[in-house]
Amino acid sequence: MLAVASACNEPQSPEQRPQALLTDGATLAVDVTTTFAFPDVSSTSSMDPDGYTVWVDGSTSQAVGTNGVVTFSGLAGGDHEVALYGIAPNCGVSTPDKGPNNPRGVSLITGVGGSADFSLACGSWGELFVTTNATGVDLGGGYTVTVDGGASQTIAPNGNVTFTLLYATSHTVVLSGVAGNCTVNGLNTQQVNVSAGQTASLTFSASCAPLGSGTGTLTITTGTTGANPDPDGYTVTVDGTASQAIATNGSATFTVPAGANPVALSGVASNCSVSGANPGTVTVPAGGTGTATLGVTCFVPGARVSGTGQLGLGSPTPHQNVQIFDFDVRADLTGRFSITAYDDIHPDGSIANVFADASRDPATFIKAYRTSSSACSDPSHGVELDAIGRDGPELVPFTVIACDDGPQGSGRDFLSFFIFKPSAGGIGRSGMVTSGDIVKN
């Protein structure tokens, strides 16, 4: 990612911000300004209703209004990380000369006051989380969800998709491409209201009949490895309707219609994860037998955090204020982390990407894993990581805060990423997860 200039002497129109002489440590004044994003020149409903939180070095914080100033005193001279968190998804940081950098670096001199400014714009936009729930046999290869006759996404028969950057109003949502042997329960066209800064949700249900005739036998086997296995086993469900309890290392047998039968494993402890697709599909021939083995891996609780998704509203295309992340890190310091910033374009036209993954580059590695974070709404739902990563030709130290503050589609998960660079050159990105999910096991 590209370095930015020091926030210490950041100009404030129409005159230079003065620096105050201090006798004990350094003081940092953080000035926050929030305006309406075009075309919402006067839509008060788009403004973040509860303000924000300013964090310094990830260890001390103060609440600040949508337009306000807070001061931190007694800071040591040198480089510091300053971040503005608690920003609604419909608001974005775009500070003159600093762009979307948040967190970012600031350099302080002992006995001298410094400052950092954050400028934000909020628009009347929200998100829509659409889920499909299909039961039966031969569900088909996937359906299509369309909003207002325009934006469309493919969705699995039992899946979910997120639409971002929807205007805060009522929207028409259509489910199409449903297999001919399937019937949508209720209307395949629904209305949903989207509010600014919020995630609306909508579910389509369908029932599917077998394409062929006859029945067969389906046997499901579970294999669980790792530490702290689930003590009470799981539940395996076939065709969305028939369920049986199954041990952590056990089997269950069903008589099912011939065809492609969906199989789902539920009741899995939060420190365990199912390998492969869940639900998956098993084909059973008429008069024959189908089998499937579901692998489960368990970890010491809190010893793993993973996530895949997006920060920012809109599509991940060059020059858009959108970041894509993908990571899976464990407390034993194994794993990988990657973030791509589509708003940061290098001089050669490439999109900025920072990663730590020893399998890709042995010089990169995870160096620290902390099992909580005060920046999360519930600190126990958070993890903090320190790593050495690759940023183009450079190796850079960076830190990550990941908060599993809600289920997928809730709009409550949070991610922060910061590269440490000297002389106030530190840069980063942060925000609520607008698509995808973060999971702390």
Side-chain angles (χ1 to χ4, degrees):
M1 292 185 179
L2 301 179
V4 297
S6 170
C8 206
N9 294 307
E10 183 176 340
Q12 183 188 37
S13 179
E15 60 184 1
Q16 187 81 4
R17 181 186 297 276
Q19 293 181 329
L21 295 178
L22 306 171
T23 58
D24 186 15
T27 293
L28 172 64
V30 181
D31 190 350
V32 177
T33 303
T34 306
T35 60
F36 303 108
F38 182 82
D40 295 333
V41 294
S42 61
S43 177
T44 57
S45 64
S46 67
M47 301 293 280
D48 199 321
D50 55 359
Y52 320 112
T53 303
V54 179
W55 283 85
V56 176
D57 298 330
S59 59
T60 183
S61 64
Q62 292 187 52
V64 64
T66 51
N67 291 281
V69 179
V70 292
T71 301
F72 295 83
S73 301
L75 299 176
D79 288 311
H80 295 269
E81 174 193 351
V82 58
L84 191 67
Y85 294 155
I87 301 172
N90 62 305
C91 302
V93 173
S94 184
T95 304
D97 300 326
K98 302 294 182 290
N101 279 304
N102 178 35
R104 66 171 184 256
V106 60
S107 187
L108 302 177
I109 301 174
T110 302
V112 178
S115 65
D117 298 339
F118 286 95
S119 298
L120 300 93
C122 299
S124 292
W125 306 301
E127 302 173 284
L128 173 62
F129 183 70
V130 181
T131 303
T132 49
N133 178 19
T135 60
V137 185
D138 300 319
L139 307 183
Y143 313 141
T144 300
V145 179
T146 304
V147 177
D148 297 333
S152 297
Q153 294 190 53
T154 299
I155 188 170
N158 288 284
N160 57 74
V161 294
T162 300
F163 291 85
T164 68
L165 208 62
L166 294 179
Y167 207 74
T169 186
S170 178
H171 295 272
T172 301
V173 186
V174 178
L175 181 68
S176 60
V178 177
N181 62 306
C182 301
T183 302
V184 176
N185 302 325
L187 299 176
N188 72 323
T189 299
Q190 298 189 41
Q191 296 293 128
V192 62
N193 289 317
V194 174
S195 300
Q198 302 297 315
T199 301
S201 60
L202 185 66
T203 299
F204 288 98
S205 298
S207 301
C208 301
L211 292 173
S213 59
T215 62
T217 300
L218 174 58
T219 298
I220 307 298
T221 302
T222 52
T224 302
T225 59
N228 298 83
D230 197 319
D232 57 359
Y234 319 116
T235 298
V236 60
T237 301
V238 174
D239 302 338
T241 55
S243 298
Q244 291 187 42
I246 189 170
T248 52
N249 292 282
S251 64
T253 300
F254 299 82
T255 298
V256 298
N261 291 261
V263 177
L265 195 66
S266 60
V268 180
S270 61
N271 66 302
C272 304
S273 61
V274 181
S275 304
N278 184 36
T281 301
V282 182
T283 299
V284 178
T289 299
T291 61
T293 298
L294 303 178
V296 179
T297 303
C298 298
F299 302 86
V300 175
R304 181 189 185 192
V305 64
S306 60
T308 302
Q310 171 179 317
L311 306 181
L313 300 176
S315 60
T317 54
H319 305 291
Q320 295 294 314
N321 187 10
V322 170
Q323 299 82 44
I324 298 297
F325 61 87
D326 182 15
F327 62 91
D328 188 346
V329 180
R330 298 168 179 81
D332 63 3
L333 307 185
T334 60
R336 54 181 173 76
F337 179 91
S338 174
I339 187 168
T340 302
Y342 285 85
D343 55 338
D344 189 351
I345 310 301
H346 288 163
D348 63 1
S350 62
I351 299 171
N353 171 261
V354 178
F355 71 89
D357 183 349
S359 67
R360 289 175 58 187
D361 185 341
T364 67
F365 58 94
I366 309 297
K367 60 183 294 187
Y369 182 107
R370 294 178 290 277
T371 58
S372 66
S373 176
S374 297
C376 303
S377 60
D378 182 340
S380 68
H381 290 183
V383 168
E384 296 181 355
L385 313 172
D386 296 334
I388 300 296
R390 177 68 66 183
D391 179 12
E394 301 179 33
L395 286 173
V396 295
F398 68 83
T399 187
V400 174
I401 298 172
C403 302
D404 181 11
D405 282 332
Q408 185 175 8
S410 67
R412 294 168 55 195
D413 286 353
F414 173 81
L415 184 75
S416 175
F417 167 83
F418 180 70
I419 298 177
F420 294 94
K421 292 188 176 184
S423 303
I427 55 177
R429 299 292 187 271
S430 63
M432 309 304 290
V433 175
T434 52
S435 178
D437 195 22
I438 292 174
V439 177
K440 178 184 179 182
N441 294 87

